[in-house]
Amino acid sequence: MSLDFQDMLMNEVDTLKLAYPIRAGALDVEDSIALNSIAGGKTIKSYYDGTEQKALNYEFSIKTKDQKKAIDSLNAISLHLEATKRLPSGNSSYDFDGIKTTNESFFVGEDEKGFFFFRLIIQATITVY
C-alpha cells in the first residue's frame, strides 16, 4: 500500500480555492503553487508491528508576478494547515497527528521574466501503517 499523505495534503490545500493552481512536483511555466516532500524527515517512534510515527517535511513553492498574492496564499496555507485537526487517508495508509509551520513564507528570488519565487515549509506528524 502506498502512502497517500501528499495527495490528501494537496486536496486539503485545494479546498482553499487559492489564486493559483496547486500541483505536485515542479512549478508550472505560469503562476502556480507546487508541493514537494523535502529532506529532514525522521521517525519519532517505531512499534513492533512495523507501524511508525514520522515527522515529514514538505515545501510549498509559489511562482508569480504578484508578490502580495504569493505571501497571502502561503500565509493562508500555513494558517489553514496548522488549524487542521483531521486529514484522513484515502487508503488507510496513515493516521494524521498534526502539522506545524517550520519556516514562515520567505522570498527565494526572481527570474529574468519577472516571476517571483516564495516558499513555505511545514512539518507533518503522521502514523504510518
Side-chain angles (χ1 to χ4, degrees):
M1 174 178 358
S2 67
L3 183 65
D4 67 342
F5 180 73
Q6 186 167 328
D7 293 333
M8 297 297 107
L9 183 58
M10 221 168 42
N11 290 344
E12 183 66 25
V13 171
D14 219 17
T15 66
L16 295 173
K17 305 293 182 209
L18 299 170
Y20 311 114
I22 185 165
R23 58 192 288 159
L27 290 161
D28 203 348
V29 294
E30 295 298 323
D31 293 354
S32 61
I33 300 173
L35 172 63
N36 288 290
S37 61
I38 58 174
K42 64 182 178 181
T43 299
I44 300 168
K45 256 185 196 179
S46 293
Y47 300 94
Y48 289 112
D49 65 356
T51 302
E52 295 180 317
Q53 185 180 36
K54 294 185 170 274
L56 303 175
N57 297 324
Y58 291 88
E59 172 186 80
F60 289 92
S61 301
I62 191 164
K63 173 184 179 180
T64 182
K65 292 187 176 182
D66 186 332
Q67 293 184 60
K68 181 170 178 4
K69 275 188 187 174
I71 293 166
D72 289 347
S73 295
L74 292 176
N75 288 342
I77 291 169
S78 176
L79 289 171
H80 179 76
L81 291 178
E82 284 195 343
T84 298
K85 301 293 182 221
R86 293 190 59 219
L87 191 57
S89 172
N91 64 6
S92 301
S93 60
Y94 72 87
D95 282 332
F96 178 72
D97 298 321
I99 291 178
K100 65 180 179 177
T101 299
T102 59
N103 283 84
E104 296 295 331
S105 57
F106 60 95
F107 178 72
V108 176
E110 180 181 8
D111 70 8
E112 66 282 347
K113 295 179 183 172
F115 283 101
F116 298 99
F117 297 86
F118 290 84
R119 289 194 179 130
L120 167 74
I121 299 173
I122 62 162
Q123 185 174 77
T125 305
I126 61 174
T127 301
V128 179
Y129 299 103

